[in-house]
Amino acid sequence: DEAKAGVAALAGGSIGLNAFTAYQGAKAERAQANYQAQINENNAGMADASAVDAVLQGSEDANRVRRQGRKVGGQQRAALAAGGVDVSTGVAAQLQDETEYFTELDATTVRNNAARAAWGFRAEAQDYRSNAQMSRAVAKSKSPGRAAGLSILGDVTKVGMQFATMGAGG
């Protein structure tokens, strides 16, 4: 009987330690998942900001293209007029129209590229938000109390089987 008492005392200490370890492990896993969710939310915010910046930068770049196009058009008109060409008709007018057309085409391309970049950043932000949601779900699923309880249940079952074996042999 002393052997059984010693085994029971040792088993009780072991069960308690295992339960505490399981509790702390689940608590740490929950904290890690919540931390990861926060990181993902922060990254989503940065991706959103990058999307806004891409659109603003695209608008600025498109305006710069337009200014440059107007400058080229002005230089063309000045050069043509200095050569004695009527800038409002014929080839001179067509040249100016083409310069305006290609300038606007370039500006539109710049804006469209910025919009595509912004879309990519928004998709990235959504991906981060989805990952944050997943991490929060993982955090919710981690129950330190349940982990400790399951550890105790498993250990008690093992000890019970050991006692049953000792009783059968002793």
Side-chain angles (χ1 to χ4, degrees), residues 5-19:
V7 169
L10 186 59
S14 177
I15 290 170
L17 181 60
N18 288 345

Side-chain angles (χ1 to χ4, degrees), residues 87-163:
V87 295
S88 62
T89 62
V91 173
Q94 184 179 354
L95 175 63
Q96 291 174 72
D97 288 345
E98 287 177 3
T99 299
E100 287 178 29
Y101 171 79
F102 285 113
T103 296
E104 191 53 38
L105 181 63
D106 288 347
T108 299
T109 299
V110 167
R111 267 195 334 266
N112 288 342
N113 287 344
R116 277 191 284 283
W119 180 86
F121 287 124
R122 287 185 191 107
E124 182 180 19
Q126 185 54 47
D127 187 43
Y128 281 126
R129 282 191 187 88
S130 295
N131 288 338
Q133 191 174 18
M134 181 74 73
S135 292
R136 279 192 293 278
V138 167
K140 274 186 172 181
S141 76
K142 299 298 178 183
S143 170
R146 184 175 56 230
L150 289 174
S151 174
I152 290 169
L153 181 62
D155 286 349
V156 166
T157 302
K158 285 182 204 171
V159 169
M161 291 174 65
Q162 289 174 346
F163 271 97

Side-chain angles (χ1 to χ4, degrees), residues 58-73 99-100 102-111:
S59 180
E60 289 175 17
D61 290 347
N63 287 335
R64 187 173 38 256
V65 166
R66 287 187 186 100
R67 281 191 305 275
Q68 183 62 32
R70 286 191 299 272
K71 180 180 175 183
V72 168
T99 299
E100 287 178 29
F102 285 113
T103 296
E104 191 53 38
L105 181 63
D106 288 347
T108 299
T109 299
V110 167
R111 267 195 334 266

